[in-house]
Amino acid sequence: MASIEEYSSITGQASIDELFLLAKQLEGKSVQNINSTAVGGGVAEILTRMIPLLKQLGVNAKWDVIKGNEKFFAITKNIHNALHGIPVNFMDDDFSYFLEINKMNANEMDLSGDIIFVHDPQPVALIERQKDIGRNWIWRCHIDFSKPDVRTWKFLRTYIEQYDCAVFSAPAFARDLTIKQVLISPSIDPLSDKNKELSPEVISSIFERFGIDQSRPIITQISRFDYLKDPLGVIKVYKKVRKYLDVQLVLAGGGATDDPEGPRIMEEVKHEADKDPDIFVLFLPPASDIEINALQRGSTVILQKSLKEGFGLTVSEALWKAKPVIATAVGGIPLQIAHKYSGILTHTLEGTAYWVKQLLNEPEYARRLGINGKEHIKNNFLITRHIKDYLLIFLSLFHKGDIIYL
Amino acid sequence: MNQSQATIVEPFQFYSKADQTVLLDKKAKNIRELLDGIKTVSGASIYFHTHKFLQQHHYLSPEPPNDFGYWITNVLNEEVLGEQISAIDIIQFKKIADLRLQFIEVIESYLQTAERIVDAPRGEEFHFMASQTFVYPTSYVAQTLSEFKEILAKISIHSLYFHIFDASLRLEQHENDFSNWFRRLGHTRLADEVLRLDPYTFTLEGLREKIIILIERYGKH
C-alpha cells in the first residue's frame, strides 16, 4: 500500500504538508472508528486504506468492528434496503433485537477514543453509552439516504440525533435533523490497481484478451448488471449511435446483485450481445481491478447511464483517466461532472445517444472534457481530499464558528 | 525607500485554509424558492455558493459561473437570468450582505416579468450549503520580496486563495493580503497593480503566474 508521501507526486508537496499541519492540531486526541465488518463492502475498503494513512500523518486512529450474528445482520440488511426506499416487512421484535445487539457491543467494547466515529446504521445505537462516558461522537452515513422508509428513519433518527454531528455523501441525503450535518464525498485512490497508470502494452493485452478491436471507437460502461445501472438502456443508446458510426460497446462488471430483476436483465443483455459481435459483455470476477482500469483507459467514451446512484464513483475513476464521460444526473454524479465543462450530464436515452455521437465526432472537445475532468477529480475526489475532510470534521468537534483560526 | 525602512515591516506569514462543507437541509426547486433561500441563508452560505466553485473548478478556463448561475442556466435552462446572475461582478462587493442584495435584486426584477416558473427535474434541486473555514499558518514566511516570490511559486492554491479572496470579501478587508504587505514594504505600484486584478477572471494557477510577473515587473525600486 502507498505511503502518504507518495501522493505528493500527484497532489503536490504543499497539499501533503497541509495534511500534516492539520493532523498536528489533533495531537493528544484519539479517533476510534467503528463499523460492522472488517472485510468486504465499501466501508471496510475505505477504512483499510484510510487508517494507515491517518496514522502516518500522526493521528492516533484505530478501527474496531462490532459483533453480530446472522439474525442481527439479516435485520441490518433490511434496514439498509429500507433506507434505500425498498419496501421491507420487519418482524415485531426486529428493532428491539437490533438494539439488544448494539447494547451488548456497547457494554463489551472498549470505547476509549476521544472521538468515536461510527459508520453506517449497524452500530448506530452505541451512542447510548454517551450518557455514561461522554466523548465526541460522529455518525457517518455511507449509503443513499434520499428517500428512506418512514418507520425505519423514525427509529434511527432517535439515535442519530444524539450524535454531535452526522456526515453524508451527497447534498440530497441531508435530512431535517437537530444536529450539524456535513458533506464528505467518497474518493478514489489514484495509486490503487484500479486507478494507477498502466502502460499501453498492458492495456492492449487486456483488450486483445477480450477480443476488442482498439482501432475502432469503443464506448464502455463499467457497472454491475443491475436494473439501476440500466445496461439495457446502454444497449439502446449504442444501437442509436451505431446507425451513424462504426462503434463497439463494452459492458463490464461484476454479476452479483440483490436485485430480483437481475437474472432477467442479465439474460436480455446476453441475448442482445449474442446477436451483435460488436457488443462485449464481460462478467468480471471480484479481483479484476487491472482489467477495469485498462478497459476504462482504452475506451473512447465512458457511459454511466444509472437510473439511481449512491455516489457513482465509477465516474471519478473514468475521469481520473482523462476520459470523456457521459452520465445521468443522479445521486452524486452532478458533483463529479460540471455539465459541458468536465463531462456531460444527461437525463434521457435520446440525449445520451446524441452526446455519444457528438463526442465521437468531435474528439478535440471530448479530449478537453477529459482533461478538465481529470483536474476536477484531482482536486476534489482523491483520497487525500477525503483525509483532509476527516481531519476537519475531527477538528470541528473542538471549535465552533464559521471561521476558525487554528 | 531604502533597505533599512523595508526591514522594519513584519515578515509575511503565509496562511492556508481548508473548508468543511455544512449541509443546510434547505433546497430550492425553482427560482422563487432559490430567492427565498438566498434571502434567508447565512452569509457563510452565500459565500460558499459564490466562491466554492472557484476552488473546485479553479483549473478550468473558462470557469463555470457561481453555483446560482450554473444551476439556473444548466438545470432550469433559464439562460437570460443565468447569464445575469453569472455576470454579477463579485469583485466589486466588499461585503457579503451587499452581494446577497444584488442577487435578490436581479432575481426579483426577473420575477416581475417572468411568464412562467420552471421547476428543476426531480433530484436536481438546488441544495444550500455553507462553509466552515479553518485557517492555519503554513511553514512559509517571507522576509523580503524575493523570498515572497519564491514562496508564492510553491504554496498550495488554498493558501493563494485565502490571501486573495477570503481577505477581501469574507473577512471584509479593503484589500487583499498581498497588496497590503507590498504597500507596507513601500512597493505602492506593485500593491496597486495586484489590487487592480480581477481574480475572479483567472484560474488560480493563472493568478499565481500573473502575480509573479507583476512582482518581477514592479517589485524593483
Side-chain angles (χ1 to χ4, degrees), chain A residues 14 49 56 117 192 323 330 405:
Chain A
R49 292 187 176 281
Q56 288 172 39
F117 196 10
S192 67
K323 289 290 149 183
V330 294
Y405 292 89

Side-chain angles (χ1 to χ4, degrees), chain A residues 33 40 44 80 136 148 163 165 241 244-245 273 309 316 322 381:
Chain A
N33 288 270
H80 181 95
N136 298 281
Y163 283 77
C165 71
V241 175
Y244 305 95
L245 291 162
E309 271 296 348
S316 283
F381 294 103

Side-chain angles (χ1 to χ4, degrees), chain A residues 14 20 35 78 80 109-110 120 130 154 177 184 189 195 203 220 245 256 261 277 288 326 353 385 387 392-393 395 403:
Chain A
F20 276 100
N35 80 323
N78 277 339
H80 181 95
M109 287 176 96
D110 170 25
D120 277 345
Q130 191 198 31
K154 213 172 146 190
L177 289 171
I184 298 184
D189 184 343
N195 298 305
I203 296 169
T220 295
L245 291 162
E261 292 281 288
S288 301
I326 303 170
R385 188 278 310 155
I387 290 171
L392 294 180
I393 196 160
L395 286 168
I403 301 173

Side-chain angles (χ1 to χ4, degrees), chain A residues 347-364:
Chain A
H347 303 87
T348 61
L349 197 147
E350 291 74 15
T352 308
Y354 165 81
W355 277 108
V356 172
K357 284 187 285 181
Q358 288 280 322
L359 297 192
L360 291 177
N361 285 330
E362 292 293 339
E364 186 45 42

Side-chain angles (χ1 to χ4, degrees), chain A residues 151-319:
Chain A
R151 184 182 164 204
T152 312
W153 167 238
K154 213 172 146 190
F155 168 72
L156 289 177
R157 182 190 184 128
T158 325
Y159 299 95
I160 294 166
E161 289 194 328
Q162 294 178 48
Y163 283 77
D164 294 297
C165 71
V167 182
F168 295 97
S169 297
F173 304 161
R175 317 298 312 167
D176 176 18
L177 289 171
T178 53
I179 58 169
K180 179 180 172 185
Q181 299 176 70
V182 169
L183 173 70
I184 298 184
S185 301
S187 60
I188 61 165
D189 184 343
L191 301 177
S192 67
D193 281 350
K194 209 189 263 185
N195 298 305
K196 68 184 184 187
E197 287 291 335
L198 293 179
S199 69
E201 293 75 30
V202 170
I203 296 169
S204 294
S205 71
I206 287 169
F207 275 81
E208 275 168 32
R209 199 200 318 159
F210 291 126
I212 306 163
D213 177 7
Q214 270 193 289
S215 68
R216 292 155 58 215
I218 302 159
I219 55 178
T220 295
Q221 175 160 306
I222 306 285
S223 64
R224 295 193 311 272
F225 293 92
D226 183 323
Y227 159 76
L228 293 175
K229 310 295 179 191
D230 199 18
L232 292 170
V234 173
I235 291 174
K236 285 182 186 150
V237 168
Y238 158 81
K239 285 183 175 171
K240 281 183 181 291
V241 175
R242 181 72 201 218
K243 280 188 205 161
Y244 305 95
L245 291 162
D246 179 21
V247 64
Q248 303 162 92
L249 173 66
V250 176
L251 287 166
T257 170
D258 295 334
D259 172 26
E261 292 281 288
R264 184 184 63 79
I265 288 163
M266 194 99 81
E267 274 314 303
E268 280 187 48
V269 169
K270 278 187 202 157
H271 179 68
E272 292 290 340
D274 287 344
K275 290 191 299 190
D276 186 336
D278 280 335
I279 300 179
F280 298 85
V281 178
L282 312 176
F283 299 100
L284 300 174
S288 301
D289 286 353
I290 298 279
E291 284 79 1
I292 289 171
N293 187 343
L295 288 169
Q296 287 170 326
R297 286 184 189 278
S299 296
T300 322
V301 172
I302 301 282
L303 296 185
Q304 191 60 55
K305 209 200 147 313
S306 304
L307 304 176
K308 196 171 176 181
E309 271 296 348
F311 194 77
L313 267 182
T314 47
V315 168
S316 283
E317 287 167 13
L319 290 174

